[in-house]
Each structure stands twice: as C-alpha cells, then as structure tokens.
Amino acid sequence: MSPVVIVLVSDGKRCLLGRQSTFPRGMYSALAGFCDIGETMEEALRREIAEEVGLEVESIQYSGSQHWPFPQSSFMVACHATVNPDKTHVSVDKEELEDARWFSLEEVQEALTIKVPPRNNKGEPTVFWVPPSYAIANRLIQEWANQQHLKS
C-alpha cells in the first residue's frame, strides 16, 4: 500500500483546487501526492504543494484517512493546509497538473450541489464540479466550506 497525502489549501478566504489532464472535464479536486521513502506526512505535504503549485504551507491540520484502490492500493491521509494570504501566486507544474486555481466559497458551494454535472452536446461537463461524496477530497472541500460558514 502506498501512502498518499491529499490536501485542501486555503488562504483563509479561498481554497485552491487542481486538476490533472486525466480528470473528467470540469472536475477540480484537492491536491495529492505520494510520500517518498523516509519522509513524514508533513514533509510530503509541504513538498508536494511547493512542487505542484509553488506555494509555501504555513500550517497543517489533519482531517482523516481513506483507502483508495485506484490506480493502485493507496492509503490517503487527508489534511487542510493554510498559506499566507499575501503569498498566493500559483505557479502550476504542468507535468503534474493541467490547472490549479483559487475558488471562492460561493463557487465551492455551488459545485458541492452538483451530483451529476450537466453536459454539452458532445457529452462533456460544462461546469466546475468536485469529486463525489465517497471521495475524501469531497470531505475536505465540504469541511472547508463548513468552516467558512462558521467564520461569517
């Protein structure tokens, strides 16, 4: 089983989601990466965020874990991470991600309501959407949205 960190990054008001080219069109998710041998979860999380989007993590909060059978047997450790709100310029590693961008609470709330994304005449989703409720990425996104509500 391979350990993976999956993290929802926030600047306090927005969350950062990314997509790989293999994702279904329109779907964005929390960022994830494999832990290297001898690396702690925290070290892997900080390294992955720095490599994939060029951001420096300030704090980490553990959320939960999930076994994930795709594409191989992985053990996913889910966390929330915060970055300095004055240092939010995203520099996407195009070898790792197709895109990554900041989303507002309103955008995330709307995406969380989509169970089956609407499709165009080519059968492609036409809106931003997030992984389904059984995925731990969805749980991270939902937790972030709930936390934003408590702040307001």
Side-chain angles (χ1 to χ4, degrees), residues 80-118:
H80 292 272
T82 56
V83 297
N84 184 325
D86 297 326
K87 297 179 181 177
T88 59
H89 174 72
V90 175
S91 178
V92 177
D93 178 347
K94 293 294 188 173
E95 290 185 25
E96 294 279 338
L97 298 172
E98 180 180 84
D99 187 33
R101 66 183 188 90
W102 294 102
F103 289 90
S104 69
L105 175 59
E106 293 75 25
E107 291 172 302
V108 168
Q109 287 174 315
E110 187 174 328
L112 285 166
T113 67
I114 299 170
K115 302 304 178 211
V116 178

Side-chain angles (χ1 to χ4, degrees), residues 24-54:
R25 182 167 291 197
M27 188 181 88
Y28 280 75
S29 185
L31 304 179
F34 289 96
C35 295
D36 288 339
I37 293 173
E39 192 174 45
T40 67
M41 175 200 69
E42 296 85 359
E43 290 167 339
L45 185 151
R46 291 177 193 281
R47 176 185 52 75
E48 285 291 337
I49 298 306
E51 288 176 1
E52 291 184 1
V53 293

